[in-house]
Every structure is written in C-alpha cells, then in structure tokens.
Amino acid sequence: MAGDKPYPEVPIGNINHSNAAVVIIGAGISGMCTAIDLVKRNNCRNFVVLEKSAGLGGTWHDNKYPGCCCDVWSMLYSYSFAQNSAWTREYPGQEEILRYLVGVAQEYNLYQHVRFNSTVEDATWDEEEKKWQTRVTVASGSKDAEFNPEYTIRSDFLVSAVGQLNQPSWPDIHGVESFEGKTMHSARWDWSYDLKDKKVAMLGNGCTSAQIVPEIVKVAKHVTIFQRTPNWIFPRMDKPVSPLWQTIYKYVPPIRWRKRAGQMDYRESFYDAIYDGNSDLAQLCKTMHQQKLETELPSRKDLWEKLTPNYNPGCKRIIITDDYLPTLGLPNVDLETRSIDSISGNKVKVKNDDGEVVDVEPEFDLLVCATGFKTVDFMHPIQMYGKNGRSIRDIWKDGAQAYNGTVVEDMPNFGMLYGPNTNLGHNSIILMIESQSRYINGLIKPVLDARRSNQTLSLSPKSSVIKDYNEKLQKELLNSSFNDPNCNSWYKNDAGIITNNWSRTVIDYQEQLADVNYEDFEVEGSGAEIVRKKKVQHVGRVKEETSVSDRTLLVLGAVSTAAVVGGFLMRNSRYLSGVRLR
Ligand SMILES: Cc1cc2nc3c(=O)[nH]c(=O)nc-3n(C[C@H](O)[C@H](O)[C@H](O)COP(=O)(O)OP(=O)(O)OC[C@H]3O[C@@H](n4cnc5c(N)ncnc54)[C@H](O)[C@@H]3O)c2cc1C
Ligand SMILES: NC(=O)c1ccc[n+]([C@@H]2O[C@H](COP(=O)([O-])OP(=O)(O)OC[C@H]3O[C@@H](n4cnc5c(N)ncnc54)[C@H](OP(=O)(O)O)[C@@H]3O)[C@@H](O)[C@H]2O)c1
C-alpha cells in the first residue's frame, strides 16, 4: 500500500492520505522548524503537519489581542536559519511575527504538507507494525469535513509540536459563565466587538494584560484591572528600526550576525536575575522596578506597594513594558486588588478585608479573561497510548517529564518540542526549539533508514535515563527563584513540581542536545542493528553567542561589502565603462 516501504517521494498524494513517514501535530514555530529540518537533515518529504487552526503560526495566530507583541528582540526571536533584515521594530508585534512565519513557510514550501482545521484527538502505538495510528477530526462546517470528518493516519514517527500556551485557561470564579455582557479570553480576541465607550473588567495582570490595557484604554470608557498578585516590571525601550539599518542588516550580514550574537550574550547573562534571587542582577531588577514606579507613577504613591511583589524576580515571568504603569495613573483606569468573590449579572463582587462581599463599580460591558493557559497538562486534551497500551496521562500522573524535554517513557518513535521543562524566563524559546528539532530529527533518521531498507525500528528512552535526568533537573530547580514559596505560577503543577521550566542557560541546553546517544534508548525491530553500529549521532548546536572578534567581523564585513558592491557593478557594467585600467 502507498505510504509503506520505501516511502514515496514528494508530495504526499491523495493515495497517501492516511499514511506518512512522519506526522507532526501543530503548525507553530516548533512544527514548522521540525518540518524544515526533516527536509534539510533527513531528506524526508513524506510528512504531514496536522493543525487544528485555519492558519499557521500557533501562538502568533491565536493571540491577536490589542497590543500583542514579543518581549524578546525581533532579531533574536526568529529562526537562526531564516534571519530577517526587515524587522520594522526592535521588539516585533504579533502581526509582523505572523507575516514573518508565513514568509518562512512559503520559502520552505511547507503549505503543501499542512492540513488545516485538523485536530488530533488521540494516537495509539501499534506494536506489531511499529507505527503510530493518529486519529484526526476535521472541523465540522469546513468543506474538508464533507470528504472525511474523521480518519486515522499511520506513521513511523510522531512529533508533538502543540506548545505549552495554546489551551486558554478560564478563571474558576463563581458566576463567570453567566456574565451578562460580552466575555472574551485574550487568546480568542473578537475584533468585531466595538470597544468604544465600553466599561471593561480585565481579569489578570500578567504579560498579556499588561499589553492589552494600554491599548484598550485609548478607546474604552473605563477599565478596571483585577490583580491577584503583583509582577516585577522591567524597561522595554522599544523603537523602530530605520530603513537605513534594515538595508545594512540585509547587505552586510556580519553586522546582523553581531547584533543577534550580542543580544544572545545579553539575554544569557540575564539568567542569574531570574534564577537566583540573591544575585546582583535580581537586585538590579528590583531597583529598576522601584525606579519605574517613581518615574512613571509619581503622583500615585498609593499604588506603589500594591504593585511591588514579595517574591524573587523570575518566579513569575517579568513584564517588560514602558506603557503599563503610566496607564494605571489614568483617570479611567482602576486597579482592584481585593479578591474576587463572584460575578453576577454585569457586576463583579469582591471581598473586603473584613470578609464583607461588595459590588465593584461600574457595571461592566466586557469581561476580558487574560488568565493564561492550561500549561502543566502537556498536550491537553490529546490522549496517547504507547507500549502495552500505557497512557501518557498515566505516565505523567505525578507531573509531566521527558528526557531532554523531548522523549517520553514507553512512547516509542515519539518526540516533543517545547515539552516538559523547556520553558525559559530569560531568553527566546526559538533557540530551544531549534535544538529540539535537531535532536528529534536525529532520532527520526535511523527510523527512516530502517524503513527505507524494508525493516522496522523503534526507539523509546530508557526509564533509568529519564529518572536520572529528571532527578538532576529537579534538584537544580529546587534552588531556583521559580521555586520561591511566595509565588504561584504556570511553571508549577498543583503539587508544586516545576514541570515547565528549564533549569540552566540556553547554551547548556543546546550542548545537552547536541548528540543523540542511541544507548539512552530501548531499541526494538528488525533494523536494530542500524543504531547498534552507530551509537551516537552528532546533531550539533547553533552557536548563537558571540564567537568572532571585532577585528574578524570587520574583515568579514569588508569582504561582504566588497562582494555586494562587486556584484552590483558586474550587473550594472555601465558604471565601469568610464574606468580604464593602466
Ligand atoms: C501572547 C504570548 C506571547 C509570547 N511571547 C513570547 C516571547 O516574547 N518570547 C518567547 O520566547 N516566547 C514567547 N511566547 C511563548 C510562545 O508560545 C513560543 O515562543 C512559541 O511561539 C511556541 O511555539 P510552538 O510552535 O511550540 O507552540 P504554539 O505556537 O503554541 O503552536 C502549537 C500549535 O499546535 C496546534 N495544536 C494544538 N493542539 C492540536 C491538536 N490536538 N491537533 C492539531 N493541532 C494542534 C495549535 O493550534 C498551534 O497552532 C509567548 C506566548 C504567548 C501566548
Ligand atoms: N512576550 C510577551 O511579552 C508576552 C506577552 C504575553 C504572554 N507571554 C507569555 O505567555 C505567558 C502567559 O501570560 P498571560 O499573561 O497570558 O498569563 P499568566 O502569566 O498565566 O497570567 C494570568 C493572570 O491571570 C490571573 N488569574 C488567573 N486566574 C485568576 C482568577 N481565577 N482570578 C483572578 N485572577 C486570575 C493571574 O493571577 P496570579 O498571578 O495571581 O496567578 C495572572 O495575573 C507568559 O508567562 C509569557 O510566557 C509573553
């Protein structure tokens, strides 16, 4: 049957609708990166990307709320292999990031592989066939559902690229579902709703809320922010990138490389600030926060204490902003710090210090839930059944864990991106994703090699390897600011185990994943010999930090400028016609 051994070449044809070498779940930054690496590193074009949205981009497709932007510089929040000289701002906005990702997808011909409106419900490992059977439902109401509303696709390898922040978390507040005005989650913004003259209740004051509030106060009549816990705030200092600089980045790549490397160096050096509450950098964060309160809210001393956290910087994500605090001083903005009791009709009820429940004025038209995501339930709500029918929910009953954040016990030929313990508080997630994509492609390689020679191969991480890895990781996290008992965050599960964050720097992580050691895996199948012969696959890492001196950079800059000028003159020889060689 089509899709079996050996694989048909590109593209996936109609006859292969339910067979592929590799299935990737999710077409965000992770899914796209894995797909690109499949082609570049494994010469594999027999793959399908299943995406439940109607477009790609993941986070940057979903989060269209007013003011949505990135808190990592544009030059660093982009793929190392698809650097962009044309960013219009130092910090990119959501629309520009989405445009960038669409451009990358077009450049690498990814669209032919992506099936939109396609939701993965569950996946089951077929031990005999050594294949995954992934069950997909197609969005009802879409034309594609008229062909096949539900089907199962078989693959030799399955990749989860569903992210950590894509399932909205709604607040568990009595009466929230019966609010009589309009309700929106920040990650499901309804742009058809006119904010003009509306009274808005904003639940939450995290990074998302801090981006929305300064934008909506410009239109809405009144905004009340309901804050449970204050956050540390750090300056953003965003500015446009001029056309001149865009041209320089385009035509003198070493300058662009140096800028990216400098940003990487800076961000990595910031690791101490978010990891160690006693570090000088953590102290600097506190000082900067206080300075911002004094300069941006000089006449609102009454708010300073309410806005100052009692936990270490980094325990929650630091908010990088220059317009949130000034907004809190506006006459049409209230900061409400009493705890919410319930919602009834158009009213939000709060508890006074003495326990009395009172209504907050005014009555609201719109309730915005900037209340984050279901983060510790990795891959929610997908069900997975691995070896011996073991379910991933059972494996993770005490908290999600994965070796290198990518591979899970009893889940053969399966890899995850942005999985357990791979989130960062100090640097760009894309750097982590690129490492994971290389590593997972290093696992996919022998599986494809086996199938191409009519053999089977399955690789699942040894439980002892996962145990050792996780014990070491959790020990490191124990001493980190993420574990500060004075704060709760989406990094920890109910038992207080930090399931989401990585414990060290990005470079440490990149080095950890630079080699795929097949001895870390249980190996089964007729193709087992392939990995017994080649025990380690070096996949390397992208060296992002500064690695050349200014002098070398100058030479490289001069050479590339000369090449560009030379190329221009060759194509426009009329400029040379007046030049005579003696
Ligand atoms: C508002 C916001 C701002 C952020 N800003 C930053 C930042 O400044 N710096 C930073 O480093 N990180 C930031 N992040 C984190 C961001 O999520 C990552 O940087 C990155 O975009 C993750 O990409 P991903 O592809 O792994 O996941 P996602 O972007 O979440 O993509 C996952 C994809 O999988 C799809 N999917 C999920 N379940 C299924 C299913 N069952 N079937 C089919 N498809 C499915 C989803 O629809 C989605 O398209 C931010 C996150 C948010 C929410
Ligand atoms: N690049 C950026 O600038 C940027 C922008 C947006 C998002 N992000 C990423 O996305 C992540 C999520 O950010 P987010 O702001 O969407 O979510 P979040 O950080 O999880 O914040 C959720 C907010 O909602 C509050 N909340 C939750 N449940 C509540 C309830 N029942 N009652 C009252 N308040 C409630 C939380 O209060 P408590 O603090 O008390 O729990 C918190 O203030 C960030 O950590 C970051 O990684 C980044």
Side-chain angles (χ1 to χ4, degrees):
M1 175 185 280
D4 275 1
K5 350 152 208 178
Y7 301 117
E9 286 304 311
V10 248
I12 308 282
N14 295 336
I15 202 164
N16 296 302
H17 190 74
S18 45
N19 287 284
V22 180
V23 164
I24 300 171
I25 316 170
I29 290 174
S30 294
M32 286 174 56
C33 188
T34 312
I36 292 166
D37 276 345
L38 267 172
V39 178
K40 283 202 303 203
R41 300 180 157 265
N42 277 320
N43 194 21
C44 170
R45 290 174 176 77
N46 191 312
F47 64 89
V48 170
V49 184
L50 298 166
E51 170 52 60
K52 72 177 172 185
S53 302
L56 55 73
T59 289
W60 305 103
H61 169 274
D62 296 350
N63 291 270
K64 296 186 163 110
Y65 58 76
C68 181
C69 55
C70 188
D71 67 7
V72 173
W73 293 295
S74 39
M75 200 65 101
L76 197 56
Y77 195 77
S78 42
Y79 295 118
S80 64
F81 54 82
Q83 290 182 28
N84 179 16
S85 314
W87 291 112
T88 61
R89 299 200 67 84
E90 293 294 346
Y91 286 92
Q94 170 262 332
E95 287 171 279
E96 193 168 10
I97 299 174
L98 189 58
R99 265 202 308 280
Y100 162 77
L101 292 173
V102 167
V104 173
Q106 283 164 341
E107 188 184 337
Y108 286 89
N109 291 321
L110 295 187
Y111 275 96
Q112 61 183 337
H113 296 278
V114 187
R115 293 185 194 162
F116 293 108
N117 292 321
S118 303
T119 301
V120 169
E121 305 290 346
D122 52 54
T124 306
W125 174 247
D126 182 331
E127 191 66 57
E128 212 161 297
E129 267 206 312
K130 302 246 177 298
K131 280 180 187 265
W132 282 100
Q133 301 203 358
T134 300
R135 195 166 61 86
V136 186
T137 52
V138 183
S140 72
S142 71
K143 195 201 267 180
D144 286 14
E146 294 172 23
F147 294 89
N148 50 349
E150 182 180 324
Y151 62 94
T152 297
I153 182 164
R154 293 151 72 235
S155 65
D156 293 299
F157 208 100
L158 180 65
V159 177
S160 163
V162 302
Q164 297 190 4
L165 301 162
N166 90 91
Q167 284 283 337
S169 165
W170 292 89
D172 181 16
I173 296 171
H174 181 72
V176 70
E177 63 296 326
S178 54
F179 175 67
E180 285 177 5
K182 167 90 174 170
T183 305
M184 286 185 212
H185 191 279
S186 53
R188 300 288 183 270
W189 196 266
D190 178 358
W191 276 92
S192 69
Y193 183 82
D194 188 359
L195 284 165
K196 195 161 170 1
D197 293 333
K198 298 294 187 330
K199 286 165 274 174
V200 184
M202 168 65 68
L203 299 191
N205 59 302
C207 301
T208 297
S209 171
Q211 292 183 342
I212 297 176
V213 171
E215 292 305 313
I216 63 172
V217 288
K218 294 173 189 163
V219 191
K221 184 167 190 175
H222 191 275
V223 178
T224 303
I225 303 154
F226 290 86
Q227 169 186 295
R228 230 172 25 182
T229 323
N231 290 296
W232 291 108
I233 290 179
F234 199 76
R236 185 171 176 87
M237 296 187 290
D238 186 21
K239 58 178 194 251
V241 180
S242 69
L244 174 64
W245 273 109
Q246 291 176 31
T247 310
I248 293 172
Y249 296 141
K250 182 168 180 188
Y251 291 108
V252 195
I255 294 191
R256 191 182 70 230
W257 302 335
R258 170 49 57 101
K259 178 163 173 163
R260 184 169 162 115
Q263 293 181 341
M264 172 75 174
D265 294 348
Y266 177 87
R267 283 293 186 149
E268 283 291 81
S269 73
F270 206 68
Y271 164 77
D272 271 358
I274 56 110
Y275 182 85
D276 177 3
N278 296 318
S279 64
D280 291 348
L281 277 171
Q283 190 48 49
L284 178 74
C285 286
K286 293 180 187 172
T287 310
M288 305 265 273
H289 178 92
Q290 183 58 30
Q291 277 172 0
K292 276 179 87 68
L293 288 174
E294 288 168 18
T295 53
E296 293 174 9
L297 278 173
S299 56
R300 294 299 307 270
K301 278 194 181 168
D302 58 309
L303 295 182
W304 292 2
E305 197 183 329
K306 289 180 177 174
L307 290 166
T308 304
N310 66 347
Y311 55 82
N312 287 334
C315 184
K316 286 172 182 289
R317 191 161 176 107
I318 296 173
I319 298 181
I320 302 190
T321 175
D322 288 334
D323 53 5
Y324 181 61
L325 291 180
T327 306
L328 299 183
L330 296 176
N332 62 338
V333 177
D334 286 337
L335 180 70
E336 177 58 70
T337 55
R338 289 172 294 179
S339 70
I340 300 176
D341 172 78
S342 56
I343 292 176
S344 168
N346 286 66
K347 295 254 181 194
V348 178
K349 293 175 184 292
V350 291
K351 265 191 202 144
N352 279 334
D353 287 346
D354 59 5
E356 185 197 7
V357 174
V358 293
D359 287 342
V360 172
E361 288 303 328
E363 291 200 8
F364 295 104
D365 303 301
L366 170 65
L367 183 66
V368 176
C369 298
T371 43
F373 300 85
K374 287 191 207 309
T375 55
V376 292
D377 303 336
F378 283 81
M379 293 184 68
H380 176 88
I382 300 173
Q383 301 290 338
M384 282 189 71
Y385 304 95
K387 271 188 182 172
N388 306 315
R390 216 177 152 200
S391 106
I392 204 158
R393 302 290 153 210
D394 174 48
I395 295 168
W396 285 345
K397 62 182 183 309
D398 297 325
Q401 49 175 284
Y403 178 48
N404 289 332
T406 58
V407 284
V408 182
E409 186 180 345
D410 281 343
M411 294 288 150
N413 294 4
F414 170 69
M416 295 180 79
L417 291 101
Y418 200 14
N421 295 105
T422 59
N423 183 54
L424 301 173
H426 72 289
N427 209 338
S428 166
I429 292 298
I430 299 181
L431 310 166
M432 305 289 277
I433 288 171
E434 284 193 29
S435 277
Q436 291 147 14
S437 173
R438 279 174 177 238
Y439 185 85
I440 290 170
N441 269 282
L443 285 174
I444 293 174
K445 188 179 180 347
V447 174
L448 296 183
D449 287 347
R451 190 64 80 175
R452 280 172 183 141
S453 53
N454 290 340
Q455 293 174 309
T456 56
L457 177 64
S458 85
L459 301 166
S460 48
K462 292 178 178 162
S463 55
S464 58
V465 169
I466 301 187
K467 188 167 170 283
D468 291 351
Y469 174 83
N470 210 52
E471 275 174 8
K472 188 172 167 214
L473 178 81
Q474 289 299 335
K475 210 167 145 199
E476 287 170 354
L477 288 168
L478 220 50
N479 303 319
S480 73
S481 292
F482 311 135
N483 199 35
D484 185 333
N486 291 324
C487 121
N488 262 323
S489 76
W490 62 263
Y491 309 151
K492 313 178 200 179
N493 66 11
D494 287 345
I497 299 169
I498 299 164
T499 51
N500 290 63
N501 282 15
W502 169 238
S503 58
R504 285 179 262 147
T505 64
V506 168
I507 295 174
D508 288 330
Y509 186 75
Q510 290 174 326
E511 284 172 349
Q512 166 85 21
L513 270 69
D515 289 300
V516 182
N517 185 347
Y518 298 120
E519 291 188 326
D520 290 340
F521 292 81
E522 311 271 8
V523 183
E524 287 174 31
S526 51
E529 209 40 40
I530 295 174
V531 292
R532 296 220 169 97
K533 271 196 248 148
K534 187 173 175 71
K535 292 189 169 57
V536 177
Q537 170 85 22
H538 181 64
V539 292
R541 74 176 185 98
V542 187
K543 206 161 182 287
E544 299 272 12
E545 65 278 18
T546 307
S547 54
V548 292
S549 65
D550 287 341
R551 196 193 170 97
T552 314
L553 191 78
L554 262 177
V555 174
L556 284 172
V559 170
S560 70
T561 311
V564 169
V565 172
F568 175 81
L569 290 175
M570 301 259 280
R571 279 202 306 274
N572 301 277
S573 49
R574 65 183 183 282
Y575 292 109
L576 293 172
S577 57
V579 180
R580 295 211 192 293
L581 290 177
R582 287 163 194 267

